Amino acid sequence: MSEQKIPCKDLSNELSAFTDTIQETIKTKTDKITADINTKADELNHEDSNGNVGIGLNFDVTWSEIPVKFHLPSFSIQDKEVILDLPTFTTNQKDIIFNFPECHMEDKVVGRYPEFHGLSVVWRDIITSVPVCVNKEQKISIGIPEAKMERKTIIMGLPVVEMKEVEMKVKYPEFKLENVSVELKQKSEELEKEGKENLQRGFEESRNEIMEGYKNKHTSLFDCLRSELLLQKSEALSGLDSLITGFTTSINDMKQKNVPSDNGTLKQTEENLNMFIEQRHQIEINFQSSLDQLNTEQQSSLEQFVQKFIEGFKLDSSSVPA
């Protein structure tokens, strides 16, 4: 069973949807960590130094908001039109008339020699075979391609990437202690440290998960665009390759049938062959330019995302208001 191919625009939409959920992904993970800290703080807040419950509130957990700024990409696929003049052709039989020398061997007298018989002399002919060539009109029928140029518009999907700065607030725990025992103070400090470490670790895990997910979708999108481009190139060159093969076959056929090199039909066919070979070369250059542009955009957009995302995606406790 063949695998169904996902259209490139759908992959672009998937990538955009993924970036739209990044902030929610971070919030979900950090909310879970802060809820866990609150639960442990509530349990600790009702313990005294002997582990008894019910002393009452001895400290408060406050949550400062740390601003985190980072850049997220916005993707869209821009259609680029490439207009090509591509040939369609039919192969028609054409009569070619030309003079071609035909040679045969004929016996001819090329001299005489004497034979002596007593007092008499007899002259004998010297006969040898010599080639005799005459030009005879030849008529052959050759299949020669006749091309008709048609203008074709090819749509290439090229990505447009814009980086936009976003800001979100991440809650950071701060413990305020009042009239607590040494033991409770130590436990609260340990809890505060644990909470901050968990929050930092959760933040880093979110960053790594987001980057991995983004890279995978980013690669899938550009692989799809590259495949589409190469398919369009193959389709554009297919007709030209068939035409070039047709001209080459006709030329070889004429030469095998001794058509003179200065024959007008042969010369015109050779000129057409060279013209379409050059056109094929130019089409390859145009597609390679688009492919290079796509590869450059893939690399630069990914590097830009990684750089700007990592630069901003950090928890910095120094940003907590005093």
Side-chain angles (χ1 to χ4, degrees):
M1 183 176 180
S2 60
E3 183 179 354
Q4 187 174 5
K5 185 177 178 182
I6 302 176
C8 295
K9 286 194 175 181
D10 288 351
L11 291 173
S12 176
N13 293 336
E14 282 188 15
L15 185 57
S16 297
F18 179 79
T19 58
D20 290 341
T21 62
I22 285 178
Q23 294 185 67
E24 186 61 34
T25 300
I26 299 168
K27 185 176 183 302
T28 299
K29 186 175 285 288
T30 55
D31 283 352
K32 185 177 182 301
I33 294 171
T34 55
D36 182 61
I37 296 172
N38 276 328
T39 300
K40 291 181 178 179
D42 287 342
E43 294 173 354
L44 184 61
N45 203 31
H46 289 78
E47 293 183 8
D48 64 10
S49 59
N50 295 318
N52 297 318
V53 178
I55 298 297
L57 295 176
N58 295 307
F59 62 87
D60 292 325
V61 181
T62 60
W63 295 92
S64 299
E65 290 188 336
I66 301 177
V68 179
K69 295 181 180 180
F70 49 90
H71 288 77
L72 292 179
S74 173
F75 266 88
S76 61
I77 301 298
Q78 179 177 339
D79 289 336
K80 177 184 176 182
E81 288 189 356
V82 177
I83 299 176
L84 300 174
D85 290 324
L86 298 175
T88 58
F89 72 97
T90 56
T91 300
N92 299 319
Q93 294 297 120
K94 184 173 183 178
D95 292 335
I96 301 176
I97 299 174
F98 58 95
N99 290 323
F100 186 76
E102 285 191 358
C103 300
H104 60 277
M105 304 301 290
E106 291 184 359
D107 292 338
K108 287 194 175 184
V109 176
V110 295
R112 304 183 77 189
Y113 65 93
E115 286 185 359
F116 295 94
H117 300 277
L119 297 177
S120 63
V121 178
V122 179
W123 290 90
R124 302 291 186 184
D125 292 336
I126 300 174
I127 300 174
T128 187
S129 295
V130 296
V132 177
C133 297
V134 294
N135 281 326
K136 286 192 174 182
E137 186 177 88
Q138 301 287 326
K139 180 179 179 180
I140 62 174
S141 182
I142 297 287
I144 298 178
E146 292 187 6
K148 177 183 178 182
M149 304 306 293
E150 292 184 356
R151 181 152 291 187
K152 182 176 180 180
T153 300
I154 295 178
I155 306 297
M156 297 182 182
L158 297 177
V160 177
V161 185
E162 294 181 4
M163 299 298 292
K164 296 181 179 180
E165 185 180 71
V166 297
E167 178 178 325
M168 65 177 298
K169 305 288 187 180
V170 176
K171 291 181 178 181
Y172 207 72
E174 293 290 334
F175 284 54
K176 294 182 179 180
L177 306 178
E178 296 180 359
N179 301 321
V180 295
S181 65
V182 174
E183 184 179 351
L184 188 56
K185 179 180 180 182
Q186 182 180 352
K187 288 183 178 180
S188 65
E189 289 173 348
E190 291 174 354
L191 180 58
E192 181 178 3
K193 180 182 178 182
E194 177 189 343
K196 291 178 179 179
E197 289 176 348
N198 289 345
L199 197 59
Q200 182 68 48
R201 184 165 49 253
F203 210 67
E204 291 175 357
E205 289 173 356
S206 295
R207 180 190 64 194
N208 295 337
E209 290 171 6
I210 290 166
M211 288 182 60
E212 186 65 25
Y214 180 85
K215 286 179 183 178
N216 291 338
K217 292 185 180 298
H218 185 273
T219 300
S220 296
L221 171 60
F222 278 88
D223 284 348
C224 179
L225 293 171
R226 192 177 296 104
S227 295
E228 277 194 353
L229 189 60
L230 292 175
L231 177 61
Q232 289 173 334
K233 173 186 174 182
S234 176
E235 291 174 350
L237 294 179
S238 175
L240 271 171
D241 288 339
S242 298
L243 182 59
I244 289 171
T245 299
F247 278 126
T248 302
T249 300
S250 298
I251 291 169
N252 291 337
D253 197 9
M254 283 187 274
K255 289 181 177 180
Q256 288 173 2
K257 293 179 178 178
N258 301 313
V259 175
S261 59
D262 60 351
N263 178 268
T265 301
L266 176 57
K267 290 174 67 176
Q268 183 62 55
T269 306
E270 289 174 332
E271 289 175 5
N272 289 339
L273 173 62
N274 292 332
M275 178 183 68
F276 285 113
I277 288 176
E278 176 60 25
Q279 184 180 2
R280 187 189 191 285
H281 178 63
Q282 289 300 320
I283 290 176
E284 280 197 314
I285 290 176
N286 292 338
F287 272 98
Q288 187 60 47
S289 175
S290 297
L291 187 60
D292 291 343
Q293 179 183 348
L294 186 65
N295 292 337
T296 299
E297 182 63 33
Q298 178 179 10
Q299 181 177 348
S300 62
S301 61
L302 184 58
E303 288 177 351
Q304 189 178 27
F305 167 75
V306 172
Q307 179 184 359
K308 289 185 175 293
F309 189 67
I310 291 179
E311 282 179 356
F313 203 84
K314 295 176 182 177
L315 269 181
D316 184 4
S317 59
S318 65
S319 302
V320 179

